[in-house]
Amino acid sequence: MKTFSKLLGSAALLGASVAHAGELEVTHWWTSGGEAAAVSEFAKAFDATGNTWVDGAIAGSGGTARPIIISRILGGDPMGATQLNHGRQAEELIEAGLMTDLTELAEAEGWTDLVNPPALLDACTYEGRIYCVPVNIHSWQWIWLSHDAFAQIDTPVPSNWNEFAAAAPKLEEAGIVPLAMGQQGWQQNGAFGVMTIAIAGLDAWRKVVVDKDADAARGPEYAAVFEAAVDARNFASNSNVQDWNLATNMVITGKAGAQIMGDWAQGEFQMAGQVAGEDYTCLPGLGVNEILDTGGDAFYFPVIDDEETKKAQMALASTLISPEVQVAFNLKKGSLPVRGDVDLSAANDCMQKGLDILDAGGIMPSGDMNLTADTQTQIEDLMAEFWTSDMSATDAQERYADIIASAD
Amino acid sequence: MSSSTKARRPSSLFRNLSAKLASIPMVLTALVVFVGGTAWTVVYSFTSSKLLPKANFVGLDQYERLWSTRRWLISIENLAVYGFFSMIFTLVIGFTLAALLDRKIRGEDVFRTIFLYPFALSFVVTGLAWQWILNPDLGVQSVVRGMGWESFTFNPLNDPDIVIYGILIAGLWQGTGLIMCIMLAGLRGIDQEIWKAARVDGIGTVKTYVRIIIPMMRPVFITALVLIASGIIKIYDLVVAQTNGGPGISSEVPAKYVINYMFRAQNLGQGFAASTMMLLSVVIILIPWAYLEFGGKKRG
């Protein structure tokens, strides 16, 4: 009788798991060619565990996808798992108890020892509990240079920002856009952030972004950044594209000399069959100040009151951070893995540069981790206006300092 | 048959009751969703709510910040420009087209369909279509240059100073057809005897329209006015599809500010403050008008 009821129980369990055998809807905004190829690595690995990955890609950048994701969670229609940039974006959702606590799994698998740099896991931690799985390290601090464009003007490919700035007029004469720039706030804001690190240096940046010191934002280091940004604005004045991958495509096809963009641009070069060092060059920190931020993507698991789903969520969390998946995913994505113990000999020139910088400890926390979405939006608005108008460097600096002064 | 219906005709009280019963859902919706939601939004616009609404009152801080934000000021300015020209041109073009169609021309049905057709498209499709038409490399500019006028420049969507007019063109193209149809219906409602009388008195056609027909079409104009005004205040999807607020922030509109601050910037308080300002602007326009229209004289 006991065996029978056990059998019955397991049959019922089986029935339940067949009904929705760990089906998880996963939302993310990885939709460009290189990104889609990378995310399919996750899907493959997750399906191999006997669960089903239901792809919920949301087209558009994070700015479009995030509101959709958050309103679904708030509206009581949570997905199984979702991509978010870790940091302060999900803070209030965690506070409201809408995100699953992953601490047990993290302790069982020893994430605290695996994840490198540890700041990544810190950004997932809220009041001592872990709520997300970091999956990659993305850094903004790269400039991508087209060998083809510089060959056209018979100039060696620049090795830093100053050389690039010097070569820019020649590019312009040859009918090449010196700097490709998608006309969207987040891209302009990102490029500005990269120039800040390269030109003002880490200390000034830390004072402004981490300590919210408005006086530092009014200081001479930042003045130099805004001056350089005015130059960059002139270099990019003929760049009439919107999306970042279209801007990257201008560099790939030699229509533009360079683009300041995070390492996700790498996936696009790879898709186009280009080889780092031969067809394009990447310079971390604009070749001036080799520091990478450690922002990146992480997966969060909204609380769903269903045992099967919970099990599938844990299985996915564990899959995402497993060594094989980390390697397969990050090679396609062009980002760096979150664990230091994996073999990345297949990585190309640019990723190798990034890994070396990580090893040497040239890292800084990302802006996402220090500024709220509110402050970021205000800065993006300012940047969007700055890059498309003829606002002077001093005006822009003053308004930037005002936003920092009111940041929380 | 008729006698049986007569026998079962319900008492007047019962008739009223069923009408009242039927309207209860709408009354509740109006009270709870519209009035309740509006009041809630206004109350929470005085808080420092971020991602989630929290009753943490901060007085007028959100409004002070709103009115010192450049993006909001640009949004208001854009809405004013778009609203002013959209109102005038929609009415003028709509009425002119309707009057021309009303002259009993041949193929009226065909023209009416052509003029009304854009209205069948959503704002998103309209915005994308006009984004291409106004694209300097694909659209009007390249066509005119291709015909030999090499120096021709028409690139509103990439020029921060005139981008709102690029949106205005698309908005007019989409919206005038409907106004034309309403006007045409109004014109058809005018008694032919009036035309005959005007002709007997020797009044010219244009003068008849301006002096006699238009004043007679007052209710039609008011309907058109309300439709156009509500379209102006809620303009959002057209901008998102056509320029997404760009270049920079030069074509931002208030509704977009609200959405952005509520969801992307995760700052509900700021979004609520902005939407309350939008409500206030509607109220400021609506109340004097309603007073003039319904309060001054009792029409029976």
Side-chain angles (χ1 to χ4, degrees), chain A residues 162-294:
Chain A
N162 297 330
E163 284 180 34
F164 168 74
K170 265 181 112 175
L171 284 171
E172 208 144 29
E173 269 170 41
I176 299 169
V177 179
L179 189 69
M181 172 70 69
Q183 305 292 327
Q184 290 170 346
W186 69 272
Q187 296 178 48
Q188 295 155 339
N189 186 28
F192 176 79
V194 173
M195 298 173 74
T196 312
I197 298 295
I199 293 163
L202 195 54
D203 290 336
W205 180 86
R206 208 183 285 279
K207 265 190 214 149
V208 172
V209 175
V210 181
D211 304 336
K212 322 270 189 305
D213 178 351
D215 290 333
R218 289 194 180 92
E221 288 99 342
Y222 264 66
V225 176
F226 278 97
E227 293 293 343
V230 169
D231 288 343
R233 182 172 71 191
N234 295 333
F235 298 157
S237 59
N238 288 322
S239 164
N240 277 334
V241 292
Q242 297 284 331
D243 291 322
W244 68 269
N245 47 342
L246 298 181
T248 309
N249 197 47
M250 287 173 73
V251 179
I252 292 173
T253 54
K255 281 185 200 147
Q259 182 190 17
I260 300 177
M261 184 46 62
D263 54 9
W264 46 91
Q266 172 120 307
E268 300 300 305
F269 285 99
Q270 249 166 26
M271 287 286 286
Q274 298 216 323
V275 180
E278 284 176 27
D279 302 309
Y280 67 98
T281 292
C282 52
L283 299 174
L286 302 185
V288 184
N289 207 344
E290 294 201 349
I291 295 172
L292 299 181
D293 71 14
T294 50

Side-chain angles (χ1 to χ4, degrees), chain B residues 62-79:
Chain B
Q62 299 286 10
Y63 291 89
E64 271 167 31
R65 179 176 150 187
L66 183 69
W67 284 104
S68 60
T69 302
R70 186 120 175 85
R71 178 169 159 187
W72 174 254
L73 299 177
I74 289 176
S75 302
I76 293 287
E77 194 186 310
N78 279 338
L79 187 71

Side-chain angles (χ1 to χ4, degrees), chain B residues 95-170:
Chain B
F95 183 78
T96 312
L97 287 178
L100 291 177
L101 283 185
D102 194 41
R103 302 310 295 166
K104 301 192 180 63
I105 56 160
R106 203 181 303 162
E108 185 200 316
D109 289 352
V110 177
F111 284 110
R112 204 175 48 209
T113 311
I114 292 175
F115 292 142
L116 190 60
Y117 223 86
F119 189 69
L121 299 179
S122 71
F123 265 136
V124 173
V125 177
T126 309
L128 285 177
W130 278 92
Q131 192 187 55
W132 289 328
I133 295 173
L134 298 177
N135 182 313
D137 300 326
L138 304 169
V140 180
Q141 181 178 313
S142 87
V143 170
V144 175
R145 284 190 182 180
M147 291 190 303
W149 186 0
E150 292 291 338
S151 62
F152 179 78
T153 307
F154 184 63
N155 186 9
L157 295 190
N158 286 318
D159 183 343
D161 295 330
I162 56 169
V163 61
I164 194 68
Y165 298 100
I167 292 170
L168 179 69
I169 293 172

Side-chain angles (χ1 to χ4, degrees), chain A residues 127-189:
Chain A
E127 290 178 350
R129 313 291 293 174
I130 293 169
Y131 291 90
C132 65
V133 191
V135 293
N136 59 3
I137 302 169
H138 265 313
S139 43
W140 251 108
Q141 287 70 23
W142 298 86
I143 185 166
W144 308 87
L145 301 152
S146 163
H147 284 204
D148 184 27
F150 286 96
Q152 283 180 45
I153 58 162
D154 290 324
T155 307
V157 177
S159 63
N160 62 46
W161 173 257
N162 297 330
E163 284 180 34
F164 168 74
K170 265 181 112 175
L171 284 171
E172 208 144 29
E173 269 170 41
I176 299 169
V177 179
L179 189 69
M181 172 70 69
Q183 305 292 327
Q184 290 170 346
W186 69 272
Q187 296 178 48
Q188 295 155 339
N189 186 28

Side-chain angles (χ1 to χ4, degrees), chain B residues 40 43-50 52-58:
Chain B
W40 190 88
V43 168
Y44 275 86
S45 73
F46 296 104
T47 68
S48 62
S49 300
K50 291 287 186 187
L52 302 172
K54 283 179 193 149
N56 190 359
F57 290 93
V58 291

Side-chain angles (χ1 to χ4, degrees), chain B residues 232-289:
Chain B
I232 292 168
I233 292 282
K234 71 182 182 198
I235 180 169
Y236 170 74
D237 30 9
L238 184 62
V239 179
V240 169
Q242 214 178 342
T243 64
N244 200 14
I249 54 173
S250 50
S251 62
E252 292 288 347
V253 285
K256 198 160 168 290
Y257 185 94
V258 173
I259 297 278
N260 259 330
Y261 270 85
M262 274 164 73
F263 300 108
R264 212 186 69 186
Q266 304 177 355
N267 189 341
L268 283 179
Q270 185 67 20
F272 288 159
S275 55
T276 306
M277 289 317 302
M278 284 177 74
L279 175 72
L280 199 67
S281 63
V282 175
V283 169
I284 286 175
I285 297 171
L286 217 59
I287 285 186
W289 172 78

